[in-house]
Amino acid sequence: MTPSASSPKRAVVLFGALAPDAAADELDVLNEVATVSEALSALGWRPESVALSLDVEMARQALAAARPAFVFNLVESVAGRGRWAPLAPSLLEELSIPFTGTPYEGMIYSSGKLLAKRLLLADGIAAPPAWGTKGDGPPPPWPGRWIVKSCWEHASVGIDDGSVVSAEKVSAEVARRSEGGGAWFAEGFVEGRELNISLVAGPRGIEVLPPAEIHFEDYPPDKPRIVGYAAKWDPVSFEYRHARRSFDFPPADRELLEAAADVSRRTWSSLGLRGYARVDLRVDRCGTPWVIDVNANPCLTPGSGFVATAERAGLDYAGLIARIVDCAIEERALDFAAPRLESGRRDAKRTPWDS
């Protein structure tokens, strides 16, 4: 969607402010800001970027001064903490500014991995058991190893070969990582294939993009087949060069892929996602897909998994950004329409620049 003659052409690209010592996964947002801004310019918008820090008032003032028609939300962490990513949609909803991606509640549900797991299980969606939070007793029964993860951080932060441990060692590993800072838990490790299912909103509802599988090529038998931090962010590592994304599936996988797509749609609904998302699954030996991670507002850097999947579906980068923006603006239109349907009058919230 390009802006109409009567609508403001301003757009803000919001991202998490970076510390001088920001890690590779955090620095990648600068590439996102640049490429998203370039695409918005090509679509006729006038983008400017705003950084969100824990000084939320500063961002609020910058947004009010910009008077954007919408905000493209690229905030994945604030002050280096993933648990504060929901600050962005919370602020934007408070200011009644249309924005891309998942709303506040959906970000709360999906950012907190333990909460997401509880919600998925309550809705009958297969997710491996979790253990390691305060007050837990012994690990619950699980036929295999465990993988230790951060409760809040995404982008495979903290995940390496040492994350996958036996039941006998899981308690010590959770304790060791917790002593180093942050909140950690253990999840039942599903031995098997790894699938990525990307979804994007469109004119006909939620569209499931072509499925992808991660192939762990030439991995030694004793090396965990996982997409850890090195596989995503360290170009010279073995994992980066040998964990390969593929879109090619044999006809025999048709039933599995249909099941994975159905689980991903249900996950979208269960966690209140919006705009675009990616669901990561592991497939056990019986062919059951288990949800192991949910990515609201996944990375939009060119070459990233979500962007590559959209390209596979025939959606170029500008077209993908336009689709995401369309969803944000249409959701805003629905927000305005709802009071008219109920009471016959427009009773929308005032924005900071309505005076």
Side-chain angles (χ1 to χ4, degrees):
M1 175 184 288
T2 56
S4 66
S6 60
S7 67
K9 293 186 177 182
R10 300 183 187 91
V12 162
V13 179
L14 187 67
F15 67 102
L18 296 171
D21 60 346
D25 60 288
E26 295 178 86
L27 290 171
D28 189 60
V29 74
L30 298 179
N31 295 325
E32 281 190 278
V33 171
T35 51
V36 167
S37 296
E38 183 179 350
L40 291 175
S41 294
L43 293 167
W45 298 98
R46 296 202 305 267
E48 63 178 272
S49 59
V50 171
L52 175 64
S53 69
L54 289 179
D55 186 351
V56 178
E57 177 60 21
M58 181 181 295
R60 190 199 69 79
Q61 292 178 12
L63 289 166
R67 298 165 54 99
F70 71 93
V71 168
F72 206 109
N73 180 26
L74 295 179
V75 175
E76 297 177 1
S77 64
V78 179
R81 300 290 185 90
R83 70 187 306 153
W84 288 330
L87 279 176
S90 176
L91 173 63
L92 296 169
E93 288 178 12
E94 179 66 22
L95 296 177
S96 295
I97 304 174
F99 61 94
T100 62
T102 291
Y104 172 69
E105 287 189 357
M107 284 298 294
I108 287 286
Y109 298 155
S110 58
S111 296
K113 297 177 187 179
L114 292 171
L115 175 58
K117 191 178 294 291
R118 287 196 291 269
L119 293 172
L120 294 176
L121 291 171
D123 285 339
I125 298 171
W131 178 87
T133 56
K134 293 180 179 179
D136 279 359
W142 177 254
R145 295 182 289 176
W146 294 77
I147 181 168
V148 179
K149 297 180 174 182
S150 167
C151 292
W152 291 95
E153 305 306 326
H154 290 263
S156 293
V157 169
I159 296 180
D160 54 27
D161 286 0
S163 300
V164 181
V165 295
S166 65
E168 294 75 21
K169 296 181 179 179
V170 65
S171 178
E173 185 61 23
V174 171
R176 186 184 73 81
R177 297 192 179 228
S178 298
E179 288 172 0
W184 299 83
F185 74 103
E187 178 180 87
F189 182 58
V190 180
E191 306 273 2
R193 301 166 67 180
E194 181 151 338
L195 305 180
N196 303 147
I197 304 296
S198 297
L199 309 100
V200 63
R204 294 180 295 276
I206 308 307
E207 178 183 351
V208 178
L209 301 178
E213 179 172 2
I214 305 300
H215 291 285
F216 302 97
E217 298 177 338
D218 302 322
Y219 270 50
D222 60 343
K223 184 175 178 60
R225 285 159 168 74
I226 57 174
V227 183
Y229 191 86
K232 290 183 177 180
W233 305 109
D234 184 0
V236 302
S237 69
F238 172 89
E239 294 86 348
Y240 191 94
R241 292 178 283 114
H242 291 268
R244 183 179 62 85
R245 183 188 308 115
S246 173
F247 296 102
D248 299 321
F249 293 87
D253 281 341
R254 178 178 176 181
E255 200 170 308
L256 166 63
L257 298 179
E258 289 176 349
D262 178 66
V263 166
S264 299
R265 289 191 196 93
R266 292 170 59 202
T267 297
W268 175 292
S269 176
S270 177
L271 300 185
L273 307 180
R274 188 183 75 190
Y276 61 115
R278 192 186 77 237
V279 179
D280 297 337
L281 310 104
R282 299 279 294 200
V283 183
D284 66 19
R285 294 182 179 89
C286 297
T288 301
W290 298 72
V291 175
I292 61 166
D293 200 12
V294 181
N295 297 270
N297 308 352
C299 177
L300 293 174
T301 301
S304 64
F306 188 86
V307 174
T309 302
E311 291 173 350
R312 182 78 175 188
L315 197 58
D316 65 14
Y317 195 82
L320 173 62
I321 298 304
R323 177 82 72 87
I324 293 170
V325 172
D326 282 353
C327 178
I329 293 176
E330 287 165 6
E331 286 285 338
R332 176 62 164 177
L334 290 175
D335 289 343
F336 277 119
R340 291 200 299 272
L341 292 174
E342 295 172 359
S343 61
R345 63 184 178 86
R346 182 166 176 156
D347 188 24
K349 293 182 180 179
R350 292 171 60 84
T351 63
W353 46 87
D354 281 337
S355 55

